[in-house]
Amino acid sequence: MHETYDFEKPRLKKDLEPEELLGVILEYAAKIANERSLDNVLMLMADMGKQIVISDRCTVWLLDDQRGELWSKVAHGVKELRIPLGAGLAGHSVSTGEPIFIDDAYTNVEFREVLTSGALRTDKQTGYRTKALMVIPFRNNEGDVIGCYQAVNKMTDSEVFSDRDLRNLSLAASYSGKSIESAMLSQEIEETQREIIFTMGEIGESRSKETGNHVKRVAEYSYILALGLGIPQTEAEILKMASPMHDIGKVAIPDSVLKKPGKLTEEEFDVMKTHTEIGYNLLKNSKRRILKTAAVVAEQHHEKWNGRGYPRGLKGEEIHIHGRITAIADVFDALASDRVYKKAWELDRILNLFKEERGQHFDPQVVDAFFEHLPAILKVRDEYADHLLE
Ligand code: C2E
Ligand code: SIN
Ligand code: SIN
Ligand code: SIN
Ligand code: FE
Ligand code: FE
């Protein structure tokens, strides 16, 4: 991942002059202040830190109080890193609120144990040579430590971090503290919203044998299909949040019908069909985009391209594209899963049905997108497989 730190190489780099330092801080402070994604804030802060102290590597760790861990994000597409608070130098610094300087990890005595189980062990695996280390805790407006910077290997002649590095990086960190807190709050709100949405969707499902992955799979299938049809990213994300709620109206369907092990009678199926209008009525008054989209999807996910669906018998493009997409996502998942009333179908049988229903039940273009993106869809199916609770 990183090239080896070469101690023979002359150190060409110099510490920043005050005006250069100010330039770096201003540049990053502006970017960070405009960033709402916490992952991006962390990565920008790490870049800024690396430039300010001229280190080979720089990581920003954030405290997760509830789990007693520090976590970090080092790159897009890479899963977050997590370490227990009690395990490393970073945790030590966050717990004590004190910075740590180490000039050479291989001769340091004070942190011998932590280094042996941390940096030195990693070096052995990677061939990297950790020498200088600096860890600086940073605080929020209330003065609580919320995380730390960890810089590794000073790239100037001195090869060690200085008090000046400490001051400069602390100064820079103080500018980002507020952005971190507001990004953390946005993330918290978004995660809470997502949980509420999935929980609402799961209420609608109420299937005795399912763990609730149905709604997550339908969300992901809808997202893949939307992007495949050229729908803009933001709208696809809104549909992904909204589609799990398509069956929310089933809250009002009696268990005797919803959980009936066998085939429904005509009267029972008429009761079942009302879940579309009930869902629509539950959601229609919201002004929020996600819930407005969810209302349309709840009402229209059983409409058919040929006009023979319910509740309104809409036809072709009279059915909103969000409804046409969710229809395929929902049926694919219903057929690929065990239900109280039926066993899961083999994939080939499902694909044959989709070919037959292209232009009948389903919008032909959405069916085409389905086949084009089948590998991604099957990946989701396998990743969110149900763990049956017998
Ligand atoms: P669901 O289980 O989520 O199924 C969604 C849709 O997937 C169904 O909408 C249907 O279009 C398709 N689907 C599911 N299983 C099969 C199948 O075995 N063969 C075919 N050709 N298509 C299938 P639909 O029919 O409007 O049903 C809506 C909801 O009504 C279903 O949601 C389910 O909760 C309930 N339901 C439908 N049929 C029965 C049944 O025979 N017994 C029971 N207990 N519930 C049923
Ligand atoms: C740490 O001690 O906090 C982590 C050391 C490392 O593995 O880089
Ligand atoms: C979502 O992001 O909307 C849900 C899918 C996930 O759990 O990542
Ligand atoms: C339906 O009843 O229309 C679909 C479900 C099934 O075929 O069992
Ligand atoms: Fe439904
Ligand atoms: Fe469903």
Side-chain angles (χ1 to χ4, degrees), residues 61 83 87-91 114-115 118-120 122 130 133 135 150 152:
W61 294 102
I83 50 173
L89 286 177
V114 177
L115 288 164
L120 302 192
T122 316
T130 300
L133 273 161
V135 186
Q150 179 174 331
V152 179

Side-chain angles (χ1 to χ4, degrees), residues 194 198 216 219-220 237 240-241 244 384:
R194 205 168 293 173
F198 281 133
K216 289 194 178 145
E220 300 292 341
E237 274 168 23
K240 175 168 152 182
M241 300 294 281
Y384 291 94

